Structures are given as C-alpha cells and as structure tokens.
Amino acid sequence: MSRIMHRVVLASVLSSVWASPAFASGLLMHNGFEACWVSAKTKPQFLELVRASIDGTTACIPVQSGSQSGIGYTICNVANGCGAGLAGCVVSMQAGPFSGDFVAGHFTGPGTTSDISVPVTTTVFSPCTISLTAISLGYTLDYLMQTDGSDGVYSDELSTPVVAIGSYASTNNCNPVLANLIAGYVPQAIAAAETNAATAIEPGLRTDTLDRSICPLSAP
C-alpha cells in the first residue's frame, strides 16, 4: 500500500475515533490486540460503581407546616438536620447489589434507609415524634447505552433515577387526636423521601457511571 494510501486510511481511522462519543471518556487505546478499550470496566465492576455511588448518600425531607381541623402543625423542623443551615429530616440510603441489561441499559437494585425520625410540633399538643423504621427501597436506573466501537457499550446518558420505598413500619408517641394528621402525612413523607432520594443520587451516578465503557459483553 502506498504512503499516500496509508495516510488516507490513518486519517479516516483517527477521524472516526475523534468523532466517537467514546473519545470523551478517554477511551482512546485498545488493550493490545484485545477487543476492549484500555479503560473499559467489566460488567461486575460497572454494577459495583452503581452500588457504591448510591450507598451512603443522604437526602432530606423538608420542613412542612399546615393546619388540620384548626390545629396548626410543623413537621421535620430540625435545625441543621440536613446540613448547615438546612432544616429537615435526613434520610441516609444504602444500596445492595445491582443487576440489569447492559444493552437496554436497564438496571435495578435493592436498598434500605436509616430509620427516619420525624418530629411534630403543634399549636395545641406537646411535641411528639413519628418513627419510620424497617424501610426497604428499590432503585431503578435507565441508561442510554451506545456501542463503543469494540466489543462493548458505553454509558452515554442517564434518565432521572427512580427510588421506591417498598415497605416500612410506622410508630408514634403523639396524642391520639393527631391520628388523622399522621395518617395523611406519612404517605406525603414517603413520597417526598422518594423524590428527594432520586434527586440526591443522580449527581453521583452521573459522575461515577457515565462515559464508561463496559466490555466485553460476552463475559459474565
């Protein structure tokens, strides 16, 4: 092959590499004659990145005030409860092993949270506390996976994570007159915890698991 032809071929190859989104990940060189990029993760390594990114993340249930049946109330008014200058009830999340489809980019995993202590103050009764314990979680993550130009895929984008509280136990030491207020608030607290948990884990997941090549797909 002539030198000119060599240059044309080389220019074409380099052009495709530079144009590939995989270049943004630093995936520039192959592992010798192997099919994977040097910086590629195995499937178990990627799943562990997902788990570790979530594990230990904290979210916050914000302060809520209102009135029911003429009784004013404030819930989760814990000064600095969610960090300096941020009042609320803190939620610390744990994550278990993840599994999923690397081509479809759909992953799920189990988890738990620390017990959630929810202080309640009212305009009528003494302060009391709602306790949420034995909380189980389910995480759902959807990535846009693209072929990486070798024998794997790379994680190009991430949809907003979904966090669902599957089960929990609720107890309180509040005046029985507040039973209706508590019954109405706990589902709101659960929904707020789910939403805020999803918001809390997304930045870490984007930093830790996007622009990653996962290769080879043929291996477990």
Side-chain angles (χ1 to χ4, degrees):
M1 185 182 292
S2 69
R3 291 184 178 179
I4 294 177
M5 184 59 70
H6 271 296
R7 290 174 182 171
V8 170
V9 171
L10 179 59
S12 176
V13 170
L14 288 176
S15 175
S16 66
V17 170
W18 281 85
S20 169
F23 178 73
S25 315
L27 309 176
L28 187 58
M29 297 180 63
H30 281 279
N31 217 348
F33 292 103
E34 297 179 10
C36 297
W37 298 99
V38 169
S39 56
K41 300 294 182 183
T42 64
K43 290 192 286 187
Q45 285 174 331
F46 181 80
L47 293 175
E48 174 57 18
L49 283 177
V50 172
R51 187 206 66 78
S53 178
I54 294 173
D55 200 51
T57 302
T58 58
C60 184
I61 301 176
V63 179
Q64 178 183 340
S65 296
S67 179
Q68 186 177 90
S69 302
I71 300 174
Y73 64 85
T74 300
I75 294 171
C76 274
N77 188 19
V78 181
N80 303 312
C82 294
L86 184 60
C89 296
V90 69
V91 180
S92 178
M93 291 169 282
Q94 293 78 46
F98 273 74
S99 61
D101 186 327
F102 282 84
V103 175
H106 182 74
F107 302 93
T108 59
T112 59
T113 78
S114 57
D115 295 345
I116 305 174
S117 181
V118 181
V120 182
T121 58
T122 74
T123 55
V124 177
F125 301 106
S126 299
C128 61
T129 301
I130 303 170
S131 298
L132 302 176
T133 60
I135 303 168
S136 67
L137 299 178
Y139 301 101
T140 301
L141 308 176
D142 284 293
Y143 289 85
L144 173 62
M145 294 292 191
Q146 304 277 17
T147 57
D148 68 357
S150 57
D151 191 31
V153 294
Y154 69 92
S155 51
D156 188 43
E157 188 51 270
L158 172 67
S159 299
T160 301
V162 175
V163 180
I165 294 180
S167 61
Y168 61 91
S170 174
T171 58
N172 70 83
N173 60 354
C174 299
N175 190 298
V177 174
L178 298 177
N180 289 337
L181 185 155
I182 293 169
Y185 172 74
V186 168
Q188 294 180 42
I190 294 299
E194 291 174 338
T195 299
N196 293 339
T199 300
I201 66 176
E202 185 171 1
L205 285 168
R206 287 186 172 277
T207 299
D208 297 340
T209 66
L210 284 186
D211 295 326
R212 301 280 185 169
S213 177
I214 303 99
C215 183
L217 293 186
S218 56

